[in-house]
Every structure is written in C-alpha cells, then in structure tokens.
Amino acid sequence: MKPASLASFVAIGTYGCSVAVRRMGLPAIWNKGVAFSSLENGSTWGSAVGFAVLLAVTAMADKKPAPTKNGLILMWGGAMGNMIDRLLYGAVMDYIPVPFWPGGLYLNIADLALIGGALSILWGTFKAKTQEETQKEGKP
C-alpha cells in the first residue's frame, strides 16, 4: 500500500470510528481543544501550528529510516481524521477513556495514531543516531 493510501486509510478509519460511536450512542466527549483537550480557545491556531510542524518534519524525512516514515504516515492519518471531525462538527469526538490519567482523559483512534506516529518517529530518530555513532566508531 502506498504511503498516501495508507494515510487516507487511517484517516477514513478514524473518522469511521467516530461515526460508529455517534450512531451507536456510546458515551463520547466533544473535544474543542487540541493536544489532550488543551488550547480550547486556540484550537484553530493549535491545529495550524501542528500541521505546519508535521509538514516541516515530513519535508525533512526524505532519507530517514522506515520507522520515521511510518510514523509520519500514522501522524498524517491521525491528523486528517481529527481534522475531518473538526471541520464537520467544530470539535473532535473522543470516546476511549484513559482511566489512569489524573482528572480523566478521553482519546479517539486518530489520537492513538498520532501518539503511535510520534513514538515511531522518536524510535526512527534514535535508531538513526545509533547507526551514525556505530559507523563513526568504524563498527560494521
């Protein structure tokens, strides 16, 4: 599957989950903010900054390792999934409770894709640095 197709698949899947939750009448929280419900009054700015950062990281990812590229695919899919909800409904539907979070926290599948993507990018960065250090030391 091509990266663009995979990102679209993730976005459509995350949007599909929120539609299913809405239709089944499951408990859900409408999140008008970004990043764990923060910046509720600045969600437009927060989203714009997030997309700008994601675009910049993507532009620099040409020769990065696979975990970084896969992480970017997940992040684009998650960002598009949340953006669809934000454009259609003015908020993002969160429906997965995180019980151990102080004060309560709800996520959705798109958020999980964003978190997984960020972790994959960190792993790819760590992996690339480790490989560079190994090559500098002259090890195979």
Side-chain angles (χ1 to χ4, degrees):
M1 186 178 280
K2 294 179 182 179
S5 300
L6 183 57
S8 297
F9 176 77
V10 172
I12 292 167
T14 59
Y15 173 69
C17 285
S18 67
V19 169
V21 167
R22 195 175 305 109
R23 288 210 175 128
M24 292 187 305
L26 297 173
I29 305 293
W30 285 101
N31 175 2
K32 291 185 179 182
V34 294
F36 304 113
S37 301
S38 61
L39 299 174
E40 187 169 326
N41 295 329
S43 66
T44 303
W45 283 103
S47 295
V49 169
F51 269 103
V53 169
L54 187 54
L55 190 60
V57 171
T58 302
M60 297 183 294
D62 188 35
K63 296 185 181 195
K64 299 292 181 189
T68 300
K69 291 179 181 179
N70 293 336
L72 286 168
I73 291 167
L74 283 172
M75 290 194 75
W76 275 110
M80 290 187 313
N82 276 343
M83 190 55 66
I84 291 169
D85 262 2
R86 196 170 300 287
L87 290 173
L88 292 177
Y89 307 108
V92 174
M93 179 184 282
D94 291 336
Y95 43 85
I96 302 169
V98 180
F100 58 83
W101 196 270
L105 176 68
Y106 284 79
L107 302 172
N108 61 32
I109 299 296
D111 296 336
L112 296 177
L114 287 165
I115 293 166
L119 291 173
S120 186
I121 290 170
L122 288 174
W123 172 253
T125 302
F126 174 75
K127 185 177 178 180
K129 289 195 183 290
T130 303
Q131 287 175 347
E132 285 175 15
E133 290 171 2
T134 303
Q135 288 174 352
K136 285 181 183 177
E137 293 174 2
K139 296 178 183 175

